[in-house]
Amino acid sequence: MLSWVLAMVLAQNGLAQNTPEPQEIVRSQTVQPLPATLDTVPVFNSNSPELVGTAGILLSTFSPEGKTVPEAHLDYPLTGRFDIFAHHVYKAEAPEDLTSMYLGIVVHNPGAEAVTLDVLAGASYLSQPDAPFVELPALVPFGLRNPVFAGPGSRVMGDLLQDRRQALFPPSLTIPPRESVLLMNQPIPVATLDPPINGRSTLVRLRSSGAVSVASLAQPAGLDENGDEIAPTLAQWQTLLENGALSTPRDRPPTPIQEVPTEVIYGRVAGVSEGARWVATLTDSAEADQLTIPVTGEAVSYGISTLYAGRLGTDQIQTAPMLVRYPDTAYQAHGNYGVEYDLTFPLVNPTDTPQTVAVMFETPIKEDNLSTEGLRFFEPLPTQTFFRGPIQVRYRDDQGLPRIHNLHLVQKRGQQGAPLAEMILQPQEQRTVAVRLLYPPDSTPPQVITIMTR
């Protein structure tokens, strides 16, 4: 599920070099599903076509009534809490035309009363120059004053993990009856880049006082009398919305969900998915209030972003279902891009001796049913990056002091993780560790969170 822009950048940077052949290693352990489930917050999920080639409609929940291309509109109003996720790439095909491609997000109030749209948090960044795909160590601390990121998806998720609202998004918008507003009108510039390719990732958390229709659209910048680029106007976006077709080229269509997977083409997502957060407390059982640590030398892992044909033996698909979608796009929101995981581990040491416990985030080799009695990893690691993004860990250290660690992780396929938190639990001691992350674009699921007793 690595994006096209990421693959281009890695190739450009010459990172696909000859390395020793990775060898599989097996860590004997159990893998458990997460308790609870995704919430029911709808997500306007615009990720197809990932590579935008022509002006057109990327995703529209407007009514098809009166539209020139009615099949481009999914007729799904949104109200109350909802999110907007958009992740698209533009590449100029003709060297003589390096005009920026603009992405617009139009919000329409079809009702007879004004609607207030509150922006709770939100960010949008380009690959270049905002958030280039730089090489980073596997684990780097970051904060408000020293942000760390690699790629626009990584940077957006870091902002949202800290509940930030980027200045380009207003705190709120009032939408008069039967009128529209532009929530976003931002370029993907390519003129100074070689090759001329760039991408933009966006995630916005919203609350609407009434039903609204939303559309994400793409069209080239205009030119003023001096030949300088200018953004499309609201009227131009509305004309495209009324008369335009779906943007092309279309992504590869997905293979249908089958009971016994063969070749799996997940496809890119374009529709409204259901679920923005997964909040859970992990305990020994539904009746328990604590999680017993593994015995010394053993580990237990919990799946993160497990998906069809990639359940790691848990029988759990965490992927958000699609409420509406275009027929040639993904059947599920594979990857859960932008979904927040908020997990609490009330760890307890039931023994009579101190125990050293580590909490890790890892990227084992993808499997549906485990082929061994544990998880498989690589050593040495291959070159493909499968996860890059922020994670937050909260706990009390061995001196009883509260700790909040914001960490940026980069993991290759099959990589075992370094400890996010490590502590010595005294006999019979219980201590809580909380882990938060927003699953970043340009990552490939699944991953796990591992509790290991040294």
Side-chain angles (χ1 to χ4, degrees):
M1 292 188 184
L2 294 177
S3 80
W4 207 87
V5 67
L6 176 55
M8 286 291 294
V9 171
L10 292 180
Q12 181 183 359
N13 289 347
L15 300 179
Q17 299 173 351
N18 292 328
T19 57
E21 188 69 23
Q23 302 297 314
E24 288 188 11
I25 59 174
V26 177
R27 191 174 71 202
S28 297
Q29 61 161 96
T30 60
V31 186
Q32 300 290 334
L34 288 181
T37 187
L38 280 169
D39 64 16
T40 57
V41 170
V43 178
F44 178 93
N45 204 320
S46 180
N47 187 211
S48 181
E50 185 194 22
L51 180 62
V52 177
T54 62
I57 295 165
L58 303 170
L59 173 60
S60 169
T61 69
F62 278 64
S63 166
E65 185 177 353
K67 305 296 193 299
T68 301
V69 185
E71 59 269 26
H73 306 275
L74 297 177
D75 196 13
Y76 197 90
L78 298 163
T79 189
R81 267 286 291 117
F82 67 94
D83 286 358
I84 292 176
F85 170 75
H87 179 73
H88 295 281
V89 176
Y90 175 61
K91 180 186 180 186
E93 294 296 341
E96 67 275 8
D97 184 6
L98 299 178
T99 304
S100 299
M101 181 69 76
Y102 265 77
L103 294 183
I105 297 178
V106 176
V107 184
H108 177 70
N109 172 13
E113 302 290 335
V115 166
T116 300
L117 187 67
D118 294 321
V119 180
L120 308 178
S124 180
Y125 291 109
L126 293 163
S127 301
Q128 302 288 338
D130 300 338
F133 286 97
V134 296
E135 281 291 287
L136 290 175
L139 188 152
V140 183
F142 73 92
L144 286 173
R145 295 184 178 180
N146 61 324
V148 177
F149 46 83
S154 162
R155 187 169 185 181
V156 168
M157 299 306 125
D159 278 18
L160 270 291
L161 190 64
Q162 298 170 88
D163 298 314
R164 299 180 65 188
R165 179 179 53 80
Q166 195 178 7
L168 68 88
F169 296 106
S172 65
L173 290 164
T174 299
I175 312 174
R178 301 182 183 88
E179 292 191 15
S180 298
V181 297
L182 271 172
L183 178 65
M184 192 177 82
N185 191 12
Q186 294 294 316
I188 304 180
V190 295
T192 62
L193 304 178
D194 184 18
I197 183 171
N198 208 348
R200 179 176 287 277
S201 294
T202 302
L203 180 61
V204 192
R205 290 176 171 167
L206 301 154
R207 180 180 291 114
S208 174
S209 65
V212 295
S213 299
V214 181
S216 59
L217 310 139
Q219 67 176 306
L223 298 177
D224 64 16
E225 57 188 14
N226 297 318
D228 296 323
E229 290 189 352
I230 54 175
T233 65
L234 175 58
Q236 289 171 320
W237 287 119
Q238 289 175 311
T239 297
L240 177 60
L241 181 64
E242 295 289 329
N243 301 315
L246 291 175
S247 178
T248 58
R250 306 302 292 168
D251 291 311
R252 293 179 69 187
T255 51
I257 303 292
Q258 301 169 352
E259 192 168 318
V260 181
T262 52
E263 179 191 13
V264 178
I265 300 171
Y266 290 102
R268 289 279 165 179
V269 179
V272 178
S273 54
E274 184 180 45
R277 295 184 75 215
W278 192 304
V279 181
T281 298
L282 291 89
T283 57
D284 292 331
S285 68
E287 296 75 29
D289 59 2
Q290 60 191 27
L291 181 65
T292 302
I293 62 174
V295 300
T296 302
E298 295 191 6
V300 59
S301 296
Y302 298 87
I304 297 293
S305 200
T306 54
L307 71 166
Y308 169 67
R311 297 173 294 175
L312 294 175
T314 65
D315 291 328
Q316 183 181 59
I317 292 176
Q318 297 175 9
T319 302
M322 300 303 296
L323 299 169
V324 289
R325 53 178 280 273
Y326 295 120
D328 64 344
T329 63
Y331 289 98
Q332 300 172 334
H334 306 292
N336 276 353
Y337 292 161
V339 167
E340 178 179 346
Y341 286 84
D342 190 343
L343 308 176
T344 301
F345 300 82
L347 303 176
V348 64
N349 172 15
T351 73
D352 294 328
T353 59
Q355 300 289 324
T356 300
V357 181
V359 179
M360 300 176 292
F361 186 87
E362 305 183 288
T363 302
I365 298 170
K366 175 186 171 184
E367 291 189 282
D368 195 28
N369 299 307
L370 296 182
S371 58
T372 63
E373 295 184 0
L375 293 176
R376 297 156 57 220
F377 298 91
F378 280 128
E379 187 64 43
L381 293 172
T383 58
Q384 312 104 303
T385 296
F386 266 40
F387 186 90
R388 61 180 82 215
I391 191 165
Q392 184 183 82
V393 186
R394 305 187 305 279
Y395 66 103
R396 288 188 179 274
D397 65 17
D398 292 339
Q399 286 70 49
L401 300 175
R403 299 292 183 188
I404 300 178
H405 293 163
N406 291 320
L407 305 166
H408 187 277
L409 306 185
V410 177
Q411 292 191 352
K412 308 293 185 181
R413 178 177 178 230
Q415 182 165 349
Q416 298 185 73
L420 307 175
E422 193 165 25
M423 63 199 74
I424 299 174
L425 293 184
Q426 298 302 316
Q428 312 303 318
E429 180 186 1
Q430 178 175 322
R431 206 180 311 177
T432 296
V433 178
V435 179
R436 283 182 66 218
L437 70 130
L438 284 89
Y439 200 85
D442 295 325
S443 294
T444 302
Q447 277 76 30
V448 296
I449 292 178
T450 298
I451 310 297
M452 179 180 288
T453 304
R454 302 291 196 186

